[in-house]
Amino acid sequence: TSQALINYFGYNKDSLANKNLDSVELTPVPTKAETELAIEGSVAGIAYHGASLLFRSETALRFYFKADSDLSGCTFTAGGMTYTPEKKGELYYVEIDGINPQELSDSITLTVASGSDTLSVVYSPMNYIVRMSQNGSTALQTLLEAMYNYYAKVDAYVKSLEG
């Protein structure tokens, strides 16, 4: 996992912390996520555009929207929290951060409301991992494969503690 991150971000590639460790056999990323993208309802002038993962100290999921005008009067909620959209170029986005490794397959429902109209988008970080592990750059595919394997190990560990 650390090798994939170092290669992806291009940091300290000549002095790896794990250089003396044996290689680890990786499980391929599944070809389909457990939960597919779902979009329900509509809000006039707002359309879901896509989603991406951000790899920082915490993993974050970013939802992008196209809007005919500014988003004043709209509320964006997920998991009981209200979010303020940010503008990036022609798009607006809402960022859900603090996603733990064992939560990568958990669905997140982001709801946009304006008056009595609602638009709900259901998406999980695993949707992104599956899609981009097949369509992203080679470096991104390697990173996502490592993230998937890390998720699988953490998920199995957490389940062993619960059972």
Side-chain angles (χ1 to χ4, degrees), residues 21-74:
L21 296 177
D22 293 331
S23 63
V24 176
E25 190 173 318
L26 297 177
T27 303
V29 176
T31 58
K32 187 173 182 177
E34 291 179 22
T35 305
E36 291 299 315
L37 164 69
I39 302 171
E40 295 181 10
S42 64
V43 171
I46 299 175
Y48 171 73
H49 182 73
S52 65
L53 277 182
L54 295 137
F55 310 109
R56 299 185 294 226
S57 59
E58 294 182 331
T59 301
L61 180 60
R62 192 177 274 183
F63 292 88
Y64 290 94
F65 296 88
K66 287 184 180 180
D68 294 342
S69 61
D70 73 21
L71 298 176
S72 59
C74 293

Side-chain angles (χ1 to χ4, degrees), residues 2 16 24 37 95 139 146:
S2 61
L16 301 177
V24 176
L37 164 69
E95 190 171 298

Side-chain angles (χ1 to χ4, degrees), residues 46-125:
I46 299 175
Y48 171 73
H49 182 73
S52 65
L53 277 182
L54 295 137
F55 310 109
R56 299 185 294 226
S57 59
E58 294 182 331
T59 301
L61 180 60
R62 192 177 274 183
F63 292 88
Y64 290 94
F65 296 88
K66 287 184 180 180
D68 294 342
S69 61
D70 73 21
L71 298 176
S72 59
C74 293
T75 58
F76 290 75
T77 58
M81 305 267 306
T82 300
Y83 294 87
T84 302
E86 300 286 333
K87 188 163 187 178
K88 182 176 183 179
E90 298 297 314
L91 300 174
Y92 290 88
Y93 69 86
V94 170
E95 190 171 298
I96 313 296
D97 59 4
I99 299 170
N100 294 318
Q102 70 271 19
E103 299 170 333
L104 291 176
S105 65
D106 293 353
S107 294
I108 296 172
T109 301
L110 179 69
T111 301
V112 183
S114 178
S116 61
D117 296 335
T118 61
L119 167 67
S120 293
V121 179
V122 179
Y123 195 83
S124 79

